[in-house]
Amino acid sequence: MALGDLMASRFSHSSVSVSNHLDECSSREDGEFRRDFSDAASSSGVYGNATTTASTITTAATSMAYLPQTVVLCELRHDAFEASTSSGPAEVGLVSKWRSKDKMKTGMVALVVCLNITVDPPDVIKISPCARMECWIDPFSMTPQKALDTIGKALSLQYERWQPKAKYKYELDPTMEEVRKLCTSCRKFAKTERVLFHYNGHGVPKPTSNGEIWVFNKTYTQYIPLSVRELDSWLKTPSIYVFDCSAAGNIVNAFMELHDASSSSGLPRDCILLAACEAHEDLPQSAEFPADVFTSCLTTPIQMALRWFCTRSLLRDSLDHSLIDKIPGRPNDRKTLLGELNWIFTAVTDTIAWNVLPHDLFQRLFRQDLLVASLFRNFLLAERIMRSANCSPISYPMLPPTHQHHMWDAWDMAAEICLSQLPSLIDDPNAEFQPSLFFTEQLTGFEVWLDHGSEHKKPPEQLPIVLQVLLSQCHRFRALVLLGRFLDMGSWAVDLALSVGIFPYVLKLLQTITPELRQILVFIWTKILALDKSCQVDLVKDGGHTYFIRFLDGLEAYPEQRAMAAFVLAVIVDEHRRGQQACIEAGLLHVCLKHLQASTPNDAQSEPLFLQWLCLCLGKMWEDFMEAQLLGLLADAPSICASLLSEPQPEVRASAVFALGTLLDVGFDSSKDSVGGEEDFDDDEKLRAEISIVKSLLGVVPDGSPLVRAEVSVALARFALRHKQHLKSVAAYYWKPPSSSVLSLHLAHARSASSDPCQYMPQGSIIASQIGPSVRIGGEGTPFAREGRGSTSSPLATSGVMHGSPLSDDSSQHSDSGASMDAASNGVINVSRPKPLESGLYCQCLLGICSLAKDPSPRIASLGRRVLSIIGIEQVVARPLRSSSVGVRHGDPPASAGSNLVGLARSSSWFDMNAGQLPLTFRTPPVSPPRTSCLAGMRRVCSLEFRPHLLNSPDSGLADPVLGGSSGNIERSFLPQSTIYRWSCGHFSKPLLTAPDDSEEVLSKREGREKIALDLISKCQHYSVTKLNNQIASWDTKFETGTKTALLQPFSPIVVAADGNERIRVWNYEEATLLNSFDNHAFLDKSISKLCLVNELDDSLLMVASGDGNIRIWKDYTHHGEQKLVTAFPAIQSQRPGVRGVNAVVDWQQQSGYLYASGESSAIMLWDLDKEQLLNSIPSSDSSITALAASQVHGGQFAAGFVDGSVRLYDIRTPEMLVSATRPHIQRVERVVGIGFQPGLDPAKIVSASQAGDIQFLDIRHQEESYLTIDAHRGSLTALAVHRHVPIIASGSAKQFIKVFSLEGEQLGTIRYYPTFMAQKIGSVSCLTFHPYQVLLAAGAADAFVSIYADDTSPPR
């Protein structure tokens, strides 16, 4: 199967939800089942005896309605977002391993031939017949001098085949002086390149034990020794030596001693040696071999290998050896016999070296220098052939034995098949050569490994062969597909492929125009760049970026594949100015904008991943690149990107925010020597675009995804850096008394501006209250700041939290503009000063940034505070120390009054502190004398000279690290960095063609839980409850403020409880052990209003709703200390005017994936947790909502109870949404305490309980009035619980007892709390919750105890 088909198959199944194992029971649509079942239920009763048909329908409907298939918050973005662990392409680490640090070239070759033909050396006794051939020439077939010259030229030609660009010099039977001149001249011309020194010593004595080789005197009457040390001093380094003589091991030993001595002296030398034999061995003299068998193996390996093979092959009798010299073709033409053999030999030797050698040694010998790599490949052949003659070639560095490697068998087979065609090819020049099946078979072996291999098994030995196959058109497509499958296995596979040398091959393939290779090449480059960003330089240098731009602009590929092309281009332009310029010139900006603009929600081409990477590519292309930013503004990029801010996928929204944020100019374009062009920066069009961008960003400040809000924080930081003076001045307005006309004017501006739906402005909020209580504002002595500082009527001043100006009194005489002019004249701050925008927009920016600084996600809050610090506003939140220990903390000392201070303090932007050349002193007196507990909760504020060397001191008392220095680059580095790009890159590092390894395990676990749930539901529906007063467990939670809410896990004996201080504790009630205890967040003045389980049939998540409307969702919450925050967001965006608290009420609906939230608000917020997006704000009524319940069987239905005793039923699937409204609690108008849907599939039956003590049973579909009323408690009802499947309800009272009723109104029992042994009354019932699938009731009270009750048949635990 082609890789494109694999990708299509993989992506088409990527969004399939978890299947239900009972789905085969149904063959009709969900709507039909609900309609049929509704009719059946209305005729026979939900809990009565039904016919067989009704029973079948019940089973099928149960499998669909009671077992929701929606699974949310399990995407990549939810995995450790707070830790921000995902990273993009690396620049160090793995990258440095495969890329050769120093590419080397052999520039000079010195050949020294000492044959002295006709005169044998005195220490050699030759046999007869004896090996005579030198460079395949018989020296005795011509005169000695002519033979010597011919051999010298032949040797030079043999080397030139492997390195044609090198310069060759040779000396024949030379003297020592001639050798010296040869060596020194070669080093002179080679400069820093490698020099090869080849020595043939067949006509001189063996090297001495000291490593001396022999040359001649001028009259050839004496042999002159030449020491290795002298030779090395002439050739220097880098160098490679080839010694073809007997006892060559002596030379290697001497060189090793020399090398060790130089290394110990700190002068490492790059020397490589190849020697024909060990120190005690002689060269083979058999006539079977040439005399220079070692040189023949190194320089003519095919000819040598075939001659040696023919004597051992079945072809030895039928094949004339002389035909080997007539093999047709050229070595570099793979379509000929000689080219095929050379190609196979290269693949075999490369594979042997790859599988045998250490990684670093392979890189050095086989990938650094072309000639060295060829010689070492051929050296492996020399070892195989010469070992058959009892001679062992050696090298330095030493290589492990390779002569018996099994790949030599593959070579023998391929050689034999090729040679079998040799006679016919020579006889008939027109005969067609049949290529070997070697590469086809090796690719098949690689494919088998891909089917069964893994990171933990031995790497595929065929990987170097795949590299060789890329050179052939006939095998290229299959090889690329298999290579793509291999790279998809992980970064380790990409590193292996790069280290084997795949990079230059796939880079060159980008020059091809073959259509079928485009998709797989894009996929391969995606995998490479996901590991190594440095390849961007090579791509731009070779013009490879145009290949991906054309692919991106085409429509023939899947959107996911085009997303890969966008990713490749994003990496090319990432922090790479040449890449940005090249892509701009190639029209990438307009291509991206064109496809973003053409995307529609139902268009197949608008795949979220594609849109995401188009935005990221744009953002990276114009990031800190003024030319690209201006082109983007001219092309209306802000409005195009802003249209994606409502996309359902958080990744797309975050990427669009990133693209918009990088369009905001911060005045640090590294392409310019200095910031200039004010007339370009401040023109009206650019100003309007900036306003449009900021308004778009403010519109997504309340987004439900932390991923999006993080990018908004980063983008607003860029805006704040450029406009910090104006933002600070506007903030200073709100120091003035509320009666100030200036304040009223700006409030009016802000409120009028907030009518724009694209802007973030909480309804009914007061700007001064939003900014004032939570921040302290630093100014530069502006008139507004001085006026605010001097005012005693300001509520901020009278509350005791006004601080003095951070500037000295003298400095307060300077105006804001004067300070900035001084800074500019000193050449310190290089940010161009922007024109001021409307004050209303600055107000909204401040509100949005303050909202982010108070975000429920710690990471977002940290980013928001950092943006405030850039402006010169810092959030001061002081609170008593919290103990991390579990248990009652009666021994804790009471916090001092000063530690409860939450208010305003003056600060100053760190940029302005360093604006001048002279150090300024800022004095900010503390509010009260410092105390230990106060200092622990507040930033230590004291007199401090902000000199650069002090600013970096860890003891400076500053909450955030403040950087010293005053250059623009330091200012730029203080901006928070975006993470969406590097985080998104992690997607392509993971396997894209195969499902995750744990998918089968997840499905199996899900199916098992579904079966358990169905069995329990069936038992519940036929359960006959008598009493529910058997206390099976009691847990002292040690909560100081009592239990606020609790829940029971469906498939584990676990109860989770929370108190009013947002502490959460998890308890196993069977083993009576505390599993975990943690704080929902760090503020003591909040409370938890609801606990819900998300994905209860899978790995459940714990949703924690705080009273202020913030939602936090945790995973791994049952493991001690391992809880992780999955996501967090403010669920309620506005509140009623004049109301201090939100008093949030929420409920979760797994069927639809919706979260409903309201409280002291005029609307019900409908959140889609899969999209992490606010879908709708449903108008409720003039009264506040006090209870919410979502149907767990009908997605989109929920009921709300109000403070005036009214009840409303909503269905978001209907156009008007409100289905019915009634006021059942009319005896005494009290707020609705609890509400819930009755068990079964009837969507209109509701139970509602008011604080007055009455419980109303409603069927809103048929009548507005209740059909049953129970006066359960008189004026003291505090809690209500309705079982999901059993026809029972429970109510709790402030008078310390619980009543259990059937749905017919019959009281099934009363549970009373008794005094403890200390005769202390237990507090009122605060929460009740039923087990989802069992008859278990958990009750929490105002004391620290949680009790669990079952019927009489359950044993105590």
Side-chain angles (χ1 to χ4, degrees), residues 1-9 481 519 558 561:
M1 181 184 290
L3 191 69
D5 299 331
L6 277 173
M7 293 169 65
S9 173
V481 170
Q519 295 180 7
Y558 293 107
Q561 295 168 329

Side-chain angles (χ1 to χ4, degrees), residues 755-791:
S755 61
D756 189 336
C758 294
Q759 302 176 19
Y760 172 69
M761 186 73 176
Q763 298 178 1
S765 61
I766 299 175
I767 298 178
S769 66
Q770 289 283 333
I771 299 179
S774 61
V775 298
R776 58 184 184 182
I777 304 168
E780 307 224 333
T782 65
F784 306 110
R786 291 197 301 275
E787 189 173 349
R789 186 174 66 246
S791 173

Side-chain angles (χ1 to χ4, degrees), residues 564-632:
M564 294 177 190
F567 162 75
V568 170
L569 291 165
V571 176
I572 289 175
V573 299
D574 180 24
E575 298 178 349
H576 185 212
R577 182 47 47 87
R578 288 188 178 180
Q580 290 174 313
Q581 292 171 339
C583 288
I584 287 290
E585 293 171 0
L588 175 59
L589 188 145
H590 298 288
V591 169
C592 292
L593 290 176
K594 177 180 70 174
H595 291 292
L596 281 179
Q597 202 168 15
S599 66
T600 59
N602 298 321
D603 185 7
Q605 293 295 325
S606 61
E607 158 70 28
L609 188 67
F610 182 46
L611 298 179
Q612 175 184 350
W613 277 102
L614 284 175
C615 291
L616 292 174
C617 183
L618 283 171
K620 280 295 176 183
M621 185 163 36
W622 57 48
E623 185 177 30
D624 300 327
F625 187 24
M626 184 62 65
E627 178 185 345
Q629 290 173 354
L630 294 177
L631 288 175

Side-chain angles (χ1 to χ4, degrees), residues 469-490:
V469 170
L470 295 180
L471 301 171
S472 170
Q473 289 186 358
C474 59
H475 300 294
R476 184 175 294 158
F477 179 72
R478 184 188 179 195
L480 286 173
V481 170
L482 295 178
L483 178 62
R485 286 181 57 190
F486 177 68
L487 298 181
D488 193 53
M489 299 181 78

Side-chain angles (χ1 to χ4, degrees), residues 1072-1298:
T1073 56
L1074 182 67
L1075 301 180
N1076 197 14
S1077 176
F1078 61 96
D1079 294 330
N1080 188 36
H1081 62 85
F1083 297 92
L1084 287 172
D1085 57 344
K1086 310 297 180 184
S1087 64
I1088 292 178
S1089 62
K1090 187 71 177 283
L1091 295 175
C1092 301
L1093 275 187
V1094 179
N1095 306 337
E1096 67 178 30
L1097 291 174
D1098 300 274
D1099 291 332
S1100 63
L1101 307 173
L1102 180 65
M1103 177 188 291
V1104 183
S1106 299
D1108 58 359
N1110 287 331
I1111 303 294
R1112 295 173 178 86
I1113 299 178
W1114 301 85
K1115 69 176 182 179
D1116 300 331
Y1117 56 92
T1118 60
H1119 306 292
H1120 180 68
E1122 296 182 12
Q1123 69 279 352
K1124 296 182 181 66
L1125 188 61
V1126 174
T1127 187
F1129 62 96
I1132 299 176
Q1133 304 295 335
S1134 63
Q1135 62 189 73
R1136 298 176 185 279
V1139 177
R1140 295 186 64 182
V1142 176
N1143 297 325
V1145 289
V1146 303
D1147 203 13
W1148 161 246
Q1149 190 174 64
Q1150 187 73 46
Q1151 279 280 6
S1152 59
Y1154 293 160
L1155 173 71
Y1156 307 94
S1158 189
E1160 298 290 350
S1161 173
S1162 58
I1164 302 170
M1165 304 296 174
L1166 170 61
W1167 291 90
D1168 186 329
L1169 285 200
D1170 184 43
K1171 301 174 182 176
E1172 299 185 63
Q1173 193 173 34
L1174 181 65
L1175 287 189
N1176 208 337
S1177 180
I1178 305 170
S1180 54
S1181 71
D1182 296 333
S1183 300
S1184 300
I1185 295 177
T1186 56
L1188 267 179
S1191 171
Q1192 296 304 317
V1193 292
H1194 298 291
Q1197 277 195 345
F1198 68 97
F1202 293 81
V1203 71
D1204 60 358
S1206 61
V1207 174
R1208 294 189 174 193
L1209 178 66
Y1210 295 87
D1211 191 334
I1212 65 170
R1213 298 169 296 183
T1214 61
E1216 60 279 3
M1217 295 194 186
L1218 179 63
V1219 176
S1220 177
T1222 183
R1223 184 169 295 185
H1225 305 283
I1226 56 177
Q1227 296 177 353
R1228 288 178 55 192
V1229 178
E1230 296 281 358
R1231 67 186 182 93
V1232 176
V1233 173
I1235 194 169
F1237 285 85
Q1238 296 184 22
L1241 296 178
D1242 196 319
K1245 288 191 174 183
I1246 296 173
V1247 180
S1248 175
S1250 77
Q1251 190 173 354
D1254 61 313
I1255 302 176
Q1256 305 291 339
F1257 292 78
L1258 308 169
D1259 189 344
I1260 297 182
R1261 182 179 54 183
H1262 296 111
Q1263 53 189 357
E1264 293 188 359
E1265 297 181 358
S1266 60
Y1267 65 85
L1268 178 62
T1269 301
I1270 301 175
D1271 289 324
H1273 311 275
R1274 295 183 180 179
S1276 61
L1277 193 146
T1278 56
L1280 174 73
V1282 182
H1283 201 286
R1284 194 184 296 181
H1285 303 291
V1286 182
I1288 57 173
I1289 64 171
S1291 62
S1293 166
K1295 298 179 180 178
Q1296 304 153 14
F1297 61 88
I1298 302 167

Side-chain angles (χ1 to χ4, degrees), residues 884-1134:
S884 59
S885 61
V886 178
V888 183
R889 302 179 301 161
H890 298 298
D892 291 352
S896 65
S899 64
N900 292 322
L901 175 67
V902 178
L904 285 177
R906 290 293 302 276
S907 175
S908 182
S909 170
W910 72 276
F911 302 135
D912 305 318
M913 296 173 185
N914 294 281
Q917 297 296 329
L918 297 176
L920 300 177
T921 301
F922 304 89
R923 293 181 175 84
T924 307
V927 176
S928 57
R931 304 176 186 176
T932 303
S933 58
C934 179
L935 292 178
M938 292 185 61
R939 171 179 295 191
R940 179 166 55 87
V941 184
C942 60
S943 297
L944 175 66
E945 285 190 344
F946 285 90
R947 295 186 178 92
H949 68 277
L950 287 179
L951 287 169
N952 290 324
S953 170
D955 299 322
S956 61
L958 300 174
D960 296 321
V962 182
L963 301 178
S966 55
S967 68
N969 288 334
I970 296 180
E971 294 185 14
R972 178 71 174 80
S973 66
F974 191 65
L975 283 172
Q977 297 300 308
S978 169
T979 57
I980 181 63
Y981 168 74
R982 295 185 64 81
W983 177 87
S984 299
C985 290
H987 169 78
F988 295 110
S989 299
K990 301 179 182 298
L992 301 177
L993 305 178
T994 57
D997 295 336
D998 59 347
S999 57
E1000 293 185 3
E1001 181 182 350
V1002 171
L1003 286 173
S1004 176
K1005 184 177 180 180
R1006 164 93 186 193
E1007 290 177 359
R1009 288 188 170 182
E1010 284 182 351
K1011 291 178 181 178
I1012 295 173
L1014 286 174
D1015 291 342
L1016 293 175
I1017 290 173
S1018 177
K1019 292 178 181 178
C1020 286
Q1021 291 175 343
H1022 299 88
Y1023 198 88
S1024 177
V1025 180
T1026 55
K1027 292 183 178 181
L1028 199 66
N1029 54 8
N1030 180 17
Q1031 181 175 313
I1032 62 171
S1034 180
W1035 172 32
D1036 182 4
T1037 63
K1038 303 188 186 305
F1039 286 144
E1040 297 175 359
T1041 57
T1043 305
K1044 183 74 174 177
T1045 181
L1047 67 81
L1048 291 166
Q1049 272 206 348
F1051 302 106
S1052 304
I1054 291 175
V1055 59
V1056 184
D1059 70 351
N1061 285 338
E1062 302 230 22
R1063 291 186 180 88
I1064 300 169
R1065 286 176 184 157
V1066 185
W1067 190 57
N1068 185 313
Y1069 54 81
E1070 281 191 352
E1071 300 176 0
T1073 56
L1074 182 67
L1075 301 180
N1076 197 14
S1077 176
F1078 61 96
D1079 294 330
N1080 188 36
H1081 62 85
F1083 297 92
L1084 287 172
D1085 57 344
K1086 310 297 180 184
S1087 64
I1088 292 178
S1089 62
K1090 187 71 177 283
L1091 295 175
C1092 301
L1093 275 187
V1094 179
N1095 306 337
E1096 67 178 30
L1097 291 174
D1098 300 274
D1099 291 332
S1100 63
L1101 307 173
L1102 180 65
M1103 177 188 291
V1104 183
S1106 299
D1108 58 359
N1110 287 331
I1111 303 294
R1112 295 173 178 86
I1113 299 178
W1114 301 85
K1115 69 176 182 179
D1116 300 331
Y1117 56 92
T1118 60
H1119 306 292
H1120 180 68
E1122 296 182 12
Q1123 69 279 352
K1124 296 182 181 66
L1125 188 61
V1126 174
T1127 187
F1129 62 96
I1132 299 176
Q1133 304 295 335
S1134 63

Side-chain angles (χ1 to χ4, degrees), residues 571-858:
V571 176
I572 289 175
V573 299
D574 180 24
E575 298 178 349
H576 185 212
R577 182 47 47 87
R578 288 188 178 180
Q580 290 174 313
Q581 292 171 339
C583 288
I584 287 290
E585 293 171 0
L588 175 59
L589 188 145
H590 298 288
V591 169
C592 292
L593 290 176
K594 177 180 70 174
H595 291 292
L596 281 179
Q597 202 168 15
S599 66
T600 59
N602 298 321
D603 185 7
Q605 293 295 325
S606 61
E607 158 70 28
L609 188 67
F610 182 46
L611 298 179
Q612 175 184 350
W613 277 102
L614 284 175
C615 291
L616 292 174
C617 183
L618 283 171
K620 280 295 176 183
M621 185 163 36
W622 57 48
E623 185 177 30
D624 300 327
F625 187 24
M626 184 62 65
E627 178 185 345
Q629 290 173 354
L630 294 177
L631 288 175
L633 295 179
L634 290 174
D636 199 24
S639 62
I640 296 174
C641 294
S643 64
L644 299 174
L645 296 178
S646 59
E647 284 291 312
Q649 295 79 18
E651 294 88 349
V652 177
R653 301 198 300 272
S655 302
V657 171
F658 171 75
L660 288 171
T662 50
L663 261 181
L664 290 173
D665 169 38
V666 294
F668 293 107
D669 184 4
S670 59
S671 66
K672 299 181 179 294
D673 295 331
S674 61
V675 175
E678 290 285 333
E679 66 279 359
D680 296 331
F681 289 176
D682 293 335
D683 67 292
D684 293 339
E685 289 185 6
K686 193 169 187 303
L687 197 64
R688 284 194 295 269
E690 190 172 27
I691 293 174
S692 171
I693 291 172
V694 173
K695 287 182 177 180
S696 299
L697 294 174
L698 292 175
V700 286
V701 165
D703 194 276
S705 172
L707 197 67
V708 179
R709 299 199 304 278
E711 294 307 309
V712 174
S713 303
V714 174
L716 289 178
R718 294 174 65 91
F719 175 76
L721 176 63
R722 186 162 160 80
H723 292 264
K724 65 180 186 298
Q725 305 293 352
H726 303 303
L727 287 167
K728 193 186 304 181
S729 299
V730 170
Y733 280 120
Y734 302 105
W735 283 17
K736 303 190 69 174
S739 60
S740 167
S741 59
V742 180
L743 173 64
S744 303
L745 176 64
H746 281 270
L747 281 172
H749 276 297
R751 284 169 180 156
S752 64
S754 68
S755 61
D756 189 336
C758 294
Q759 302 176 19
Y760 172 69
M761 186 73 176
Q763 298 178 1
S765 61
I766 299 175
I767 298 178
S769 66
Q770 289 283 333
I771 299 179
S774 61
V775 298
R776 58 184 184 182
I777 304 168
E780 307 224 333
T782 65
F784 306 110
R786 291 197 301 275
E787 189 173 349
R789 186 174 66 246
S791 173
T792 57
S793 60
S794 169
L796 302 178
T798 56
S799 65
V801 295
M802 267 301 270
H803 287 344
S805 169
L807 293 177
S808 65
D809 293 337
D810 294 337
S811 67
S812 64
Q813 298 174 7
H814 300 289
S815 67
D816 197 6
S817 59
S820 63
M821 289 175 63
D822 292 342
S825 64
N826 289 331
V828 174
I829 297 179
N830 296 324
V831 184
S832 57
R833 188 68 179 272
K835 288 183 180 179
L837 309 179
E838 300 97 342
S839 298
L841 185 62
Y842 287 132
C843 292
Q844 294 168 65
C845 281
L846 288 169
L847 285 174
I849 296 168
C850 288
S851 173
L852 293 169
K854 296 183 292 183
D855 197 272
S857 166

